[in-house]
């Protein structure tokens, strides 16, 4: 017998868009043209401040937040009774070109069709977790040239209306004779549509020259910068901070796990320099990423960085590739680890994967208030701590439309015991009227 007779929320009525989005089980997800112009009413949602409210969405934004039953609508309704409504998380550090390749049994294929398939599948997986915006680092150069970038950009186009995917161009070398091709290819990648200029200075014979080249190209094209670095060299970090200071759009670095291995005084000094330069650090609590050759390096010292005033966001890193064959790509797991292992408060940890991640990606802030973008996730649970602990059932909203749903039901062999003890349940709720 089921532990609950409830079912996950489903929208009732017409979503106002008859086109098929191409994804199964995504209610209300019309064609990939972007924002839906009809309204959607989220009924009975719980907020982190304890209120239970109705939220009306329209034209991709939150139109109104009011007491239950107070907001009229002629559009679809979604019953969110038993769900906590939150700003949707964002993924600031993915590697979709290598994602889901751990079980391939050989070298990673960079054939265009394989990269596009992995990128799309990984993005949809992370969308199901709640990430409606993703930044993916894409290797360019070597034998694969610009092929992976073109494949990721094609995947971005196919995901339009479901999730926003931004590609980061990551060349291996940029200095010396060997780096000349990398420089030309980086410029070509930006012209193709790479939204961010990236790379890994640690792997170049001249890390400072590499960083300088990236910053120069980014300034030339008005692109933000997102660099991989271990952060275990204080002098190198100081030079990077000095070069990055004042650059607009801003500079993001990560995963910076090497900062944790520095003497406390050196780490604190480096954190102060990064804060003064306005550099954002993206940590990876769930493990390594494919951008660095070192494995098992741990995570950045989040509390030290935050104490120094550094903006800290959290990403997922590797998603079941050689760097982390069991990576989940789940922003809520990243927040969970920041609490359970990093000692952060739950609101701050969730902020690292939502508001701070969006800020790192240059996206507008999201709050459950009128006028803000309708980028939301509803998670089964009453409080944020419970949600981060048992975040099973989720409903994801992108540009005012429900685009993904994950449902979970727990059953016991003797449900009478569970009922008698009034145990908390993860189950289904009946659809609303």
């Amino acid at each position: 017998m089921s532990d609950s007779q409830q079912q996950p929320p489903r929208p009732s009525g017409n979503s106002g868009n008859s086109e098929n989005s191409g994804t199964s089980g995504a209610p209300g997800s019309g064609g990939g043209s972007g924002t839906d112009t009809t309204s959607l009413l989220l009924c009975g949602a719980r907020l982190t401040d304890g209120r239970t409210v109705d939220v009306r969405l329209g034209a991709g934004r939150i139109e109104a937040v009011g007491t239950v039953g107070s907001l009229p609508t002629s559009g679809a309704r979604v019953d969110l009774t038993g769900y906590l409504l939150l700003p949707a998380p964002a993924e600031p550090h993915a590697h979709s070109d290598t994602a889901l390749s751990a079980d391939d049994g050989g070298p990673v294929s960079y054939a265009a069709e394989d990269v596009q398939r992995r990128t799309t599948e990984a993005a949809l997986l992370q969308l199901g977790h709640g990430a409606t915006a993703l930044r993916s680092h894409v290797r360019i150069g070597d034998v694969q040239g610009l092929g992976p970038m073109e494949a990721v950009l094609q995947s971005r186009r196919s995901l339009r209306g479901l999730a926003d995917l931004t590609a980061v161009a990551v060349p291996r070398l940029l200095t010396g004779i060997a780096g000349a091709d990398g420089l030309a290819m980086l410029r070509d990648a930006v012209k193709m549509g790479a939204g961010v200029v990236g790379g890994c200075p640690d792997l170049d014979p001249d890390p400072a020259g590499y960083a300088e080249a990236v910053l120069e190209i980014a300034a030339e094209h008005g692109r933000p910068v997102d660099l991989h670095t271990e952060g275990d060299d204080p002098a190198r970090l100081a030079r990077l901070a000095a070069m990055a200071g004042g650059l607009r759009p801003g500079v993001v670095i990560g995963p910076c796990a090497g900062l944790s291995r520095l003497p406390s005084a050196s780490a604190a000094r480096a954190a102060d320099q990064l804060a003064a330069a306005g550099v954002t650090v993206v940590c990876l609590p769930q493990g390594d990423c494919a951008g660095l050759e070192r494995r098992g390096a741990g995570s950045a010292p989040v509390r030290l960085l935050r104490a120094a005033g550094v903006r800290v966001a959290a990403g997922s890193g590797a998603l079941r590739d050689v760097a982390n064959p069991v990576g989940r790509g789940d922003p809520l797991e990243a927040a969970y680890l920041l609490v359970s292992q990093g000692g952060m408060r739950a609101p701050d940890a969730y902020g690292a994967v939502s508001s701070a991640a969006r800020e790192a990606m240059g996206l507008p802030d999201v709050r459950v208030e009128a006028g803000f973008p309708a980028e939301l996730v509803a998670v089964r649970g009453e409080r944020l701590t419970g949600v981060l602990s048992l975040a099973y059932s989720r409903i994801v909203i992108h540009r005012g439309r429900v685009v993904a749903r994950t449902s979970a039901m727990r059953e016991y062999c003797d449900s009478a015991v569970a009922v008698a003890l009034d145990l908390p349940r993860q189950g289904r709720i009946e659809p609303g009227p």
Side-chain angles (χ1 to χ4, degrees), residues 149-408:
M149 177 60 67
E150 178 55 43
V152 171
L153 293 176
Q154 181 60 41
S155 177
R156 181 187 69 177
R157 290 187 283 270
S158 69
L159 289 164
R160 186 182 176 193
L162 292 173
D164 294 328
L165 175 66
T166 301
V168 185
V170 181
R172 182 172 180 84
L173 298 175
L174 289 181
T175 67
I177 297 175
D181 288 343
L183 280 170
M185 201 161 293
L186 181 57
R187 287 191 167 90
D188 288 342
V190 173
K191 293 175 183 176
M192 286 172 59
V196 184
V197 183
C200 183
D202 296 6
L203 301 181
D204 193 282
D206 180 5
Y210 187 108
E212 185 177 359
V214 166
L215 294 170
E216 180 180 328
I217 292 174
E220 177 184 329
H221 293 276
R223 296 289 198 273
V225 170
D226 196 331
L227 293 172
H228 286 74
T229 181
E230 267 295 294
D232 55 358
D233 186 328
R236 189 180 301 168
L237 276 180
R239 287 194 295 270
L240 178 59
M243 289 188 287
L247 183 70
R248 295 292 181 269
V251 175
V252 174
I253 63 173
C256 294
L259 272 173
S260 298
R261 300 190 295 273
L262 293 178
S264 57
S266 297
R269 186 161 52 250
D272 289 339
Q273 292 165 338
L274 294 174
V279 173
T280 297
V281 172
V282 173
C283 65
L284 302 178
Q286 297 175 85
D288 297 314
C289 73
L292 294 167
E293 295 180 344
R294 172 173 278 171
R295 298 288 180 260
S299 187
V302 173
R303 284 193 289 180
L304 179 146
L305 290 166
R306 284 170 52 87
V310 178
R311 292 189 296 269
V312 178
S316 298
L319 174 55
R320 285 163 46 196
D321 64 20
V322 67
N324 184 0
V326 296
R328 295 181 181 175
D330 187 350
L332 269 66
E333 184 182 48
Y336 156 80
L337 290 170
L338 288 175
V339 176
S340 64
Q341 297 183 11
M344 290 178 66
R345 296 171 57 251
D348 294 333
Y350 189 74
V353 301
S354 56
S355 57
R358 290 182 64 85
E359 183 180 7
M361 297 164 68
L363 300 172
D365 191 22
V366 173
R367 302 178 196 170
V368 188
E369 299 176 13
F372 283 87
E375 303 289 324
L376 304 166
V377 62
V379 187
R380 183 77 171 154
E382 295 185 353
R383 294 178 178 82
L384 188 57
T385 49
V387 160
L388 296 184
S389 175
L390 296 171
Y392 297 137
S393 297
R394 309 181 194 185
I395 299 95
V396 186
I397 296 168
H398 174 52
R399 300 187 183 181
R401 302 182 303 124
V402 177
V403 293
R405 181 199 293 118
T406 300
S407 302

Side-chain angles (χ1 to χ4, degrees), residues 3-4 410 412 414-426:
D3 69 329
S4 173
R410 177 178 295 143
Y412 300 98
D414 184 2
S415 60
V417 174
V419 172
L421 295 177
D422 193 25
L423 296 177
R425 303 168 185 173
Q426 180 75 39

